[in-house]
Amino acid sequence: AVGLISIHSVLLATIALVIATMATTWLRLAAIPFAAAAVMIIPQVRTPDLLISEDAHLVAMPIGGGELAINRARSNEFTTDNWKRALKAETIVPPETFAKGTLDLADPVDLPPGSPFYCTGDLCIGRHPSGAIVALAENREAARPACDFADLIVINDATAYNPCHDPRILVVTKRQLARDGSAAVFFDPQSATARATIQYAVEKPYRPWHEQRRYSREARGLAPYKKPEKPEAKPQPPQ
C-alpha cells in the first residue's frame, strides 16, 4: 500500500498530466519535472497516530510492525480496510477483553508503548508507540478514572461532556464527532506532556451538503431514541 499521499504531490501530478495531455509538441517534455517532483514528495505527509470513526464506535491505532490495533472485535470491514491502506498496516489486532473486575487498569502507565487495546467493562486502554495513553469509554462515568493517566479519551456517548479538569487531556465525545465527522489525532513525538492535536473531516462553516449534520440526535447531545413501551392491555370483563 502507498499510504497517504501529500496534497502537494497530487497538485504537481495534476500539472504534469495537464501539460502532457494539452501540449502537442516537444513542450510535452515540460511535464517531466513536475511528474518527477510529484513522485519525490509522495511520502512527505504525516500519518495520523490514531483514527476515530464519526460514530465514535471504532478507533484504530498503529502500534508498529505493520499492526493496527482496534477497539472492537467485530468491526466495519470497509472502514478498517481503508484505514489499513492509509496507515500502511498489514495486520488488524483486535482488543483483548477481560471480564469486569478481572483486569486492573489502575496503573496503565505500566503498559509498554505499542500496546493494543485492553478492555474491561465500559473502558478500553491502549498505548501508542510514542508513549501516549488512549482511553475509550462508553459513558462519562467510565471515562472519569482515565483522567488520571490518559492523554486522549474518546467517549461513545452524545450526552457526555468533558469529565477532566486537566487542559492537557484531549477529550472527544460522540456529539463532537456527529457534528464534525471522523477524526485524525496526532501526538507530539517531542513531548509526552503536550496536548494531542485533532483534525476533523468536516470543517466549519458547514457547506450546504453538511447542514443536515447539526440536526441529528447525537449532534444535539441527545441519547438514542427509544420506542416507548406499550402499556399492558387490561383484561376485559366478560360480557
Side-chain angles (χ1 to χ4, degrees), residues 147-151 162-171 193 195:
C147 295
D148 295 332
F149 52 78
D151 299 284
N162 191 342
C164 306
H165 300 289
D166 190 341
R168 294 173 299 177
I169 302 174
L170 176 62
V171 178
T193 59
R195 178 183 169 93

Side-chain angles (χ1 to χ4, degrees), residues 140-169:
R140 186 173 183 269
E141 291 302 317
R144 184 178 285 113
C147 295
D148 295 332
F149 52 78
D151 299 284
L152 167 67
I153 301 176
V154 181
I155 306 177
N156 186 23
D157 184 357
T159 65
Y161 54 93
N162 191 342
C164 306
H165 300 289
D166 190 341
R168 294 173 299 177
I169 302 174

Side-chain angles (χ1 to χ4, degrees), residues 143-229:
R144 184 178 285 113
C147 295
D148 295 332
F149 52 78
D151 299 284
L152 167 67
I153 301 176
V154 181
I155 306 177
N156 186 23
D157 184 357
T159 65
Y161 54 93
N162 191 342
C164 306
H165 300 289
D166 190 341
R168 294 173 299 177
I169 302 174
L170 176 62
V171 178
V172 183
T173 67
K174 193 182 188 79
R175 184 181 185 184
Q176 292 170 291
L177 294 165
R179 289 180 169 184
D180 300 327
S182 56
V185 178
F186 302 86
F187 299 116
D188 189 342
Q190 305 298 328
S191 174
T193 59
R195 178 183 169 93
T197 58
I198 187 168
Q199 181 178 349
Y200 293 98
V202 180
E203 297 181 354
K204 293 180 180 177
Y206 284 145
R207 295 182 182 273
W209 49 87
H210 291 147
E211 281 292 333
Q212 81 283 353
R213 302 188 70 93
R214 68 172 78 243
Y215 303 113
S216 68
R217 292 185 63 87
E218 291 80 6
R220 290 180 290 156
L222 301 177
Y225 174 76
K226 291 184 178 180
K227 189 175 181 180
E229 297 181 0

Side-chain angles (χ1 to χ4, degrees), residues 7-190:
I7 184 64
H8 300 96
S9 177
V10 175
L11 292 175
L12 288 171
T14 302
I15 294 173
L17 181 63
V18 170
I19 295 174
T21 54
M22 298 294 291
T24 57
T25 63
W26 59 269
L27 291 175
R28 286 183 175 179
L29 297 177
I32 295 178
F34 292 99
V39 173
M40 292 177 61
I41 65 173
I42 281 179
Q44 294 184 8
V45 58
R46 184 179 176 186
T47 302
D49 295 316
L50 185 135
L51 295 173
I52 312 172
S53 64
E54 67 175 0
D55 60 358
H57 187 75
L58 185 63
V59 174
M61 178 176 66
I63 56 175
E67 294 182 328
L68 186 66
I70 60 175
N71 65 315
R72 302 286 178 180
R74 301 177 64 181
S75 60
N76 185 305
E77 186 175 352
F78 176 78
T79 301
T80 53
D81 284 346
N82 284 334
W83 286 356
K84 282 173 61 179
R85 285 191 288 268
L87 301 175
K88 293 189 288 187
E90 299 177 357
T91 307
I92 293 293
V93 181
E96 295 189 32
T97 305
F98 299 85
K100 191 172 183 179
T102 60
L103 177 65
D104 184 12
L105 293 177
D107 194 10
V109 178
D110 293 336
L111 288 176
S115 296
F117 291 109
Y118 298 95
C119 302
T120 178
D122 292 330
L123 183 65
C124 293
I125 302 293
R127 194 165 194 181
H128 189 263
S130 66
I133 298 177
V134 180
L136 315 173
E138 291 298 318
N139 50 63
R140 186 173 183 269
E141 291 302 317
R144 184 178 285 113
C147 295
D148 295 332
F149 52 78
D151 299 284
L152 167 67
I153 301 176
V154 181
I155 306 177
N156 186 23
D157 184 357
T159 65
Y161 54 93
N162 191 342
C164 306
H165 300 289
D166 190 341
R168 294 173 299 177
I169 302 174
L170 176 62
V171 178
V172 183
T173 67
K174 193 182 188 79
R175 184 181 185 184
Q176 292 170 291
L177 294 165
R179 289 180 169 184
D180 300 327
S182 56
V185 178
F186 302 86
F187 299 116
D188 189 342
Q190 305 298 328

